[in-house]
Amino acid sequence: MLFNSLQFLLFFIVVTLSYFSLKWQGRWILLLVASCYFYMVFKPAYFLILLLTIVIDYIAGIWIERTNGPARRWLLIISLISNIGILAFFKYLGFFTENVSLLFEKLQMPGVADEVMYQGNRLFIRVLRFFGQTDIKSFKENVISILPVGLSFHTFQAMSYTIEVYRGNQKAERHFGIYALYVMFYPQLVAGPIERPQNVLWQFHSYFKYDRENVKAGLMQMAFGLFKKLVIADRLAMLVDYAYGDPSAHNGLTLLAATFFYTFQIYCDFSGYSDVALGAARVMGFTLMENFRTPYIAQSVSEFWRRWHISLSTWFRDYLYIPLGGNRKGEVRQYLNMLIVFLASGLWHGPNWTYVIWGGLNGLYQILAVLRDKLLAKLGFSNAPSHKVTSSVHEKESPKSPVRVVVNTLITFVLIMLTWVFFRARSLSDAFIILKGIGTLSFGDQIRSPMNTTEMWFSVFLILFLLVKEYFYLTIPTRNTARFAILFAVITFATYLFGVFSSNQFIYFQF
């Protein structure tokens, strides 16, 4: 069920009104049933996969808490292998099979290469047919479209639970319905934020009274999230899809404009989803973690990653970077850990080398920045930005001159924008065509776009409006009821008037 649909609007109204009319015992049942329905609207058969992981991790959490000695570690490993195994099969079997087959071809073993492809494809098709996907003949047929929706998100959230129970930071949840709701809570089920059990499990045991301020703040956040998605993201997508659909047919200026637009499209699309998710939860009294904090004002790549997809960044920090040793085992190991984390982050996004390179570039940026700052420190320049993977976006740094702030922000923006080329391109060859086009562009070229001049300038205006709004008001004030009513009506009307209603799903649903 898409947030930008009439179906969701009706769903949200019915569920929310019913929620406030019930006592606690009825509320968790209502939310669990509603979340099951919300998920099954996409592909009902895949609910069995979600249910399987819920049962495994529910039992594993209780056993881990009860058990002492090495057995606890083995229970955690079994739980993690179960989760990662399901994710790996559905999302990465085709990618792994194709690359292993290609390796055998390079080794002059075509027979083995063909057998690997045949067996991998055969296994994939058999499993998909069990879940009703009878029309699939190969895992090459757009694997993203046949994935269980939100698989990477709820898998990581489930793993965070068993890891925190193992570490002793969270007591095992005995109430099966509440644990199932932890994994399936509909606002953040399919695209995050990826929550931690310490933040949300206790909330599902709580009884939240109707709070007018929460309702106003939640509705406003939802309204502006949909504005970002429908008015900004989906409008920018028109040029992006046009240019990236066949990059060899476009000049460098068109490709540059499309890449610039995509930089804001993906932000408005994903942060717009997060706004709707957080807002829908807040209306009912729940508080989910912040997922974005004005990432494009970052003055370094590391700061960008403390502001972008915060729930995923902190997940990799806490469950991969720090366990690998973080920065505690020497410089070389620190750089290697950084690279591993970002390569894993890239692969998490999708079974394609474009995502791996996107992650690798971000990791390389971080390593080079650390090396640069150490060199500057030796030369006597000490006012360098923080590149700690574990630092917070709220940490204060020494003040910088306005010129330096602007220069650092622009450099960071350009570096991040270039990585989005790999994230958006359909293949590595397309990505290199786009980069070559941008690198050899002529400002005498004209931008070729499906939008007319007025629409193009309106798109630029929307980007500037977004930047100004989020710089001065990260959240829209709602304390004054009259002001809330006016602003909510204006945003809703503007979304209806200027929105692009083409039923485009949110980009991160595919992950």
PDB file of all heavy atoms in Angstrom, residues 393-406:
ATOM      1  N   VAL A 393      25.541  14.096  14.865  1.00  0.00           N
ATOM      2  CA  VAL A 393      25.275  15.298  14.083  1.00  0.00           C
ATOM      3  C   VAL A 393      25.123  16.515  14.977  1.00  0.00           C
ATOM      4  O   VAL A 393      25.285  17.649  14.559  1.00  0.00           O
ATOM      5  CB  VAL A 393      23.999  15.111  13.232  1.00  0.00           C
ATOM      6  CG1 VAL A 393      22.761  15.094  14.101  1.00  0.00           C
ATOM      7  CG2 VAL A 393      23.887  16.206  12.192  1.00  0.00           C
ATOM      8  N   HIS A 394      24.833  16.278  16.250  1.00  0.00           N
ATOM      9  CA  HIS A 394      24.607  17.388  17.174  1.00  0.00           C
ATOM     10  C   HIS A 394      25.901  17.868  17.839  1.00  0.00           C
ATOM     11  O   HIS A 394      25.872  18.836  18.586  1.00  0.00           O
ATOM     12  CB  HIS A 394      23.600  16.980  18.253  1.00  0.00           C
ATOM     13  CG  HIS A 394      22.278  16.555  17.693  1.00  0.00           C
ATOM     14  ND1 HIS A 394      21.397  17.446  17.129  1.00  0.00           N
ATOM     15  CD2 HIS A 394      21.701  15.336  17.583  1.00  0.00           C
ATOM     16  CE1 HIS A 394      20.312  16.803  16.721  1.00  0.00           C
ATOM     17  NE2 HIS A 394      20.477  15.522  16.980  1.00  0.00           N
ATOM     18  N   GLU A 395      27.029  17.183  17.598  1.00  0.00           N
ATOM     19  CA  GLU A 395      28.286  17.623  18.180  1.00  0.00           C
ATOM     20  C   GLU A 395      28.696  18.967  17.605  1.00  0.00           C
ATOM     21  O   GLU A 395      28.578  19.230  16.414  1.00  0.00           O
ATOM     22  CB  GLU A 395      29.397  16.582  17.906  1.00  0.00           C
ATOM     23  CG  GLU A 395      29.242  15.323  18.738  1.00  0.00           C
ATOM     24  CD  GLU A 395      30.417  14.384  18.542  1.00  0.00           C
ATOM     25  OE1 GLU A 395      31.355  14.781  17.819  1.00  0.00           O
ATOM     26  OE2 GLU A 395      30.405  13.282  19.098  1.00  0.00           O
ATOM     27  N   LYS A 396      29.193  19.830  18.474  1.00  0.00           N
ATOM     28  CA  LYS A 396      29.598  21.160  18.043  1.00  0.00           C
ATOM     29  C   LYS A 396      31.068  21.185  17.662  1.00  0.00           C
ATOM     30  O   LYS A 396      31.905  20.580  18.328  1.00  0.00           O
ATOM     31  CB  LYS A 396      29.334  22.188  19.159  1.00  0.00           C
ATOM     32  CG  LYS A 396      27.854  22.388  19.444  1.00  0.00           C
ATOM     33  CD  LYS A 396      27.652  23.484  20.487  1.00  0.00           C
ATOM     34  CE  LYS A 396      26.175  23.729  20.743  1.00  0.00           C
ATOM     35  NZ  LYS A 396      25.952  24.782  21.763  1.00  0.00           N
ATOM     36  N   GLU A 397      31.369  21.847  16.561  1.00  0.00           N
ATOM     37  CA  GLU A 397      32.738  22.045  16.141  1.00  0.00           C
ATOM     38  C   GLU A 397      33.085  23.509  16.290  1.00  0.00           C
ATOM     39  O   GLU A 397      32.222  24.370  16.449  1.00  0.00           O
ATOM     40  CB  GLU A 397      32.916  21.599  14.678  1.00  0.00           C
ATOM     41  CG  GLU A 397      32.631  20.122  14.473  1.00  0.00           C
ATOM     42  CD  GLU A 397      32.747  19.727  13.012  1.00  0.00           C
ATOM     43  OE1 GLU A 397      32.993  20.630  12.176  1.00  0.00           O
ATOM     44  OE2 GLU A 397      32.581  18.549  12.707  1.00  0.00           O
ATOM     45  N   SER A 398      34.372  23.801  16.249  1.00  0.00           N
ATOM     46  CA  SER A 398      34.788  25.189  16.374  1.00  0.00           C
ATOM     47  C   SER A 398      34.245  25.995  15.195  1.00  0.00           C
ATOM     48  O   SER A 398      34.102  25.482  14.094  1.00  0.00           O
ATOM     49  CB  SER A 398      36.323  25.255  16.406  1.00  0.00           C
ATOM     50  OG  SER A 398      36.875  24.590  15.293  1.00  0.00           O
ATOM     51  N   PRO A 399      33.904  27.261  15.427  1.00  0.00           N
ATOM     52  CA  PRO A 399      33.297  28.079  14.373  1.00  0.00           C
ATOM     53  C   PRO A 399      34.214  28.276  13.180  1.00  0.00           C
ATOM     54  O   PRO A 399      35.441  28.345  13.323  1.00  0.00           O
ATOM     55  CB  PRO A 399      33.000  29.399  15.087  1.00  0.00           C
ATOM     56  CG  PRO A 399      33.926  29.428  16.264  1.00  0.00           C
ATOM     57  CD  PRO A 399      34.101  28.002  16.682  1.00  0.00           C
ATOM     58  N   LYS A 400      33.624  28.377  11.990  1.00  0.00           N
ATOM     59  CA  LYS A 400      34.383  28.584  10.760  1.00  0.00           C
ATOM     60  C   LYS A 400      33.886  29.849  10.092  1.00  0.00           C
ATOM     61  O   LYS A 400      32.769  30.297  10.326  1.00  0.00           O
ATOM     62  CB  LYS A 400      34.205  27.393   9.814  1.00  0.00           C
ATOM     63  CG  LYS A 400      34.565  26.038  10.406  1.00  0.00           C
ATOM     64  CD  LYS A 400      34.349  24.951   9.380  1.00  0.00           C
ATOM     65  CE  LYS A 400      34.665  23.582   9.957  1.00  0.00           C
ATOM     66  NZ  LYS A 400      33.669  23.160  10.939  1.00  0.00           N
ATOM     67  N   SER A 401      34.698  30.373   9.209  1.00  0.00           N
ATOM     68  CA  SER A 401      34.289  31.562   8.479  1.00  0.00           C
ATOM     69  C   SER A 401      33.173  31.201   7.509  1.00  0.00           C
ATOM     70  O   SER A 401      33.111  30.058   7.027  1.00  0.00           O
ATOM     71  CB  SER A 401      35.471  32.142   7.706  1.00  0.00           C
ATOM     72  OG  SER A 401      35.823  31.278   6.632  1.00  0.00           O
ATOM     73  N   PRO A 402      32.262  32.143   7.205  1.00  0.00           N
ATOM     74  CA  PRO A 402      31.170  31.866   6.266  1.00  0.00           C
ATOM     75  C   PRO A 402      31.658  31.366   4.914  1.00  0.00           C
ATOM     76  O   PRO A 402      31.041  30.488   4.310  1.00  0.00           O
ATOM     77  CB  PRO A 402      30.455  33.210   6.152  1.00  0.00           C
ATOM     78  CG  PRO A 402      30.772  33.913   7.426  1.00  0.00           C
ATOM     79  CD  PRO A 402      32.159  33.490   7.791  1.00  0.00           C
ATOM     80  N   VAL A 403      32.770  31.926   4.442  1.00  0.00           N
ATOM     81  CA  VAL A 403      33.311  31.505   3.145  1.00  0.00           C
ATOM     82  C   VAL A 403      33.710  30.040   3.187  1.00  0.00           C
ATOM     83  O   VAL A 403      33.409  29.259   2.272  1.00  0.00           O
ATOM     84  CB  VAL A 403      34.513  32.375   2.741  1.00  0.00           C
ATOM     85  CG1 VAL A 403      35.175  31.827   1.479  1.00  0.00           C
ATOM     86  CG2 VAL A 403      34.076  33.817   2.531  1.00  0.00           C
ATOM     87  N   ARG A 404      34.374  29.648   4.280  1.00  0.00           N
ATOM     88  CA  ARG A 404      34.802  28.258   4.397  1.00  0.00           C
ATOM     89  C   ARG A 404      33.613  27.314   4.497  1.00  0.00           C
ATOM     90  O   ARG A 404      33.622  26.219   3.929  1.00  0.00           O
ATOM     91  CB  ARG A 404      35.703  28.102   5.625  1.00  0.00           C
ATOM     92  CG  ARG A 404      36.267  26.697   5.760  1.00  0.00           C
ATOM     93  CD  ARG A 404      37.256  26.596   6.883  1.00  0.00           C
ATOM     94  NE  ARG A 404      37.747  25.239   7.017  1.00  0.00           N
ATOM     95  CZ  ARG A 404      38.570  24.835   7.970  1.00  0.00           C
ATOM     96  NH1 ARG A 404      39.019  25.702   8.854  1.00  0.00           N
ATOM     97  NH2 ARG A 404      38.965  23.583   8.026  1.00  0.00           N
ATOM     98  N   VAL A 405      32.582  27.743   5.218  1.00  0.00           N
ATOM     99  CA  VAL A 405      31.374  26.923   5.336  1.00  0.00           C
ATOM    100  C   VAL A 405      30.758  26.689   3.961  1.00  0.00           C
ATOM    101  O   VAL A 405      30.409  25.557   3.602  1.00  0.00           O
ATOM    102  CB  VAL A 405      30.351  27.598   6.275  1.00  0.00           C
ATOM    103  CG1 VAL A 405      29.004  26.889   6.187  1.00  0.00           C
ATOM    104  CG2 VAL A 405      30.855  27.580   7.712  1.00  0.00           C
ATOM    105  N   VAL A 406      30.628  27.749   3.178  1.00  0.00           N
ATOM    106  CA  VAL A 406      30.027  27.636   1.845  1.00  0.00           C
ATOM    107  C   VAL A 406      30.872  26.742   0.944  1.00  0.00           C
ATOM    108  O   VAL A 406      30.350  25.865   0.237  1.00  0.00           O
ATOM    109  CB  VAL A 406      29.858  29.033   1.215  1.00  0.00           C
ATOM    110  CG1 VAL A 406      29.438  28.908  -0.252  1.00  0.00           C
ATOM    111  CG2 VAL A 406      28.822  29.849   1.988  1.00  0.00           C
TER     112      VAL A 406
END
